[in-house]
Amino acid sequence: MVDALDELDREISDCRRCPRLVAWREEVAVTKRAAFRDEEYWGRPVPGFGPHRAPIAILGLAPAAHGGNRTGRMFTGDRSGDVLFAAMHRAGLANQPTSTSRDDGLTLIGTRIFSAVRCAPPDNKPTPQERDTCAPFLHRELREIAPDLRVVIALGAFAWAAFWPALRAVYGVAPARKVPFGHGTLWQAERAPALLGCYHVSQQNTFTGRLTPGMLDEVLARAKQLAGAPI
């Protein structure tokens, strides 16, 4: 019997619905960055990563052009991933602090990672139409992990905004009024996972000190607390 999440991952990897994103991801995979000129780029949409039964989910914006778009795994092979996986290792949510390739031995513990948009976008900026075209993948992934999911960490305002339509589609729940994104902001409701905001682990945030390792540690510790069960 084919696992529903495995089937979804295959569908995501084969998607060609957004012409601009298809053209960009494939161009990057051919032109490459000089440091990776001898590597074969993934150059396709990037599926979710992590256990199929996870109480914590981390929702990102989209794969990086020379990170996930190169390696085929979210936050793998770039500076953002260096920061994120080091923090997850400190929190007991990953078996090692680094992530360089799909076969590097990294295992996530009680946590699944996915993104609002599955293809690397030019300038890290998907269009609203591209976000909405990709949304059914997010909705399906949430439905599959819903029985165990207790908290979603939204990395940045884009992921935060993408969560609300998914919440309505999957859980039939919506906040009474708009909830602004903020680092450490928490939204909770019955019959739905909690949503916890965190500044994105981009170099722009980590290099400037807007997001420090301590701040990220606090968010992950809070997520573990909200998840309830030992991880």
Side-chain angles (χ1 to χ4, degrees):
M1 181 177 178
V2 177
D3 182 273
L5 267 181
D6 289 338
E7 177 60 31
L8 175 60
D9 289 347
R10 283 192 287 271
E11 287 186 38
I12 290 171
S13 298
D14 291 336
C15 183
R16 301 183 65 86
R17 296 175 187 173
C18 299
R20 187 183 79 114
L21 297 186
V22 171
W24 172 253
R25 79 190 192 210
E26 294 181 353
E27 177 187 348
V28 170
V30 172
T31 58
K32 304 182 180 181
R33 179 173 284 172
F36 308 123
R37 62 181 177 274
D38 296 327
E39 296 188 23
E40 181 177 353
Y41 274 54
W42 172 258
R44 299 161 65 185
V46 180
F49 169 54
H52 292 192
R53 300 187 65 179
I56 298 174
I58 297 177
L59 178 60
L61 189 161
H66 302 283
N69 189 58
R70 173 172 63 88
T71 63
R73 195 168 71 189
M74 283 296 299
F75 292 109
T76 295
D78 60 28
R79 295 291 182 86
S80 296
D82 292 344
V83 173
L84 178 61
F85 291 119
M88 292 182 68
H89 183 253
R90 292 193 299 271
L93 300 177
N95 70 324
Q96 62 189 42
T98 58
S99 179
T100 57
S101 68
R102 292 197 307 279
D103 58 358
D104 61 8
L106 175 68
T107 299
L108 302 187
I109 301 165
T111 309
R112 188 165 177 87
I113 295 177
F114 45 80
S115 57
V117 174
R118 306 303 173 113
C119 291
D123 300 319
N124 292 320
K125 295 179 180 178
T127 67
Q129 181 178 356
E130 290 162 350
R131 175 202 62 205
D132 294 344
T133 299
C134 213
F137 288 141
L138 174 59
H139 299 179
R140 286 174 61 187
E141 192 152 5
L142 281 173
R143 286 191 185 96
E144 292 302 323
I145 65 175
D148 300 282
L149 187 61
R150 298 294 176 265
V151 56
V152 176
I153 301 171
L155 295 178
F158 189 95
W160 180 269
F163 177 78
W164 304 113
L167 180 73
R168 289 191 294 271
V170 177
Y171 294 92
V173 175
R177 60 182 64 85
K178 183 177 180 180
V179 183
F181 169 77
H183 181 82
T185 297
L186 174 64
W187 176 88
Q188 292 179 288
E190 294 184 6
R191 307 187 310 280
L195 179 65
L196 183 59
C198 179
Y199 289 140
H200 197 280
V201 288
S202 66
Q203 292 184 59
Q204 181 180 357
N205 287 335
T206 58
F207 282 10
T208 61
R210 189 183 192 203
L211 178 65
T212 66
M215 292 167 65
L216 188 52
D217 289 346
E218 289 174 359
V219 167
L220 293 178
R222 182 66 170 136
K224 289 181 67 174
Q225 181 185 42
L226 291 165
I231 295 175

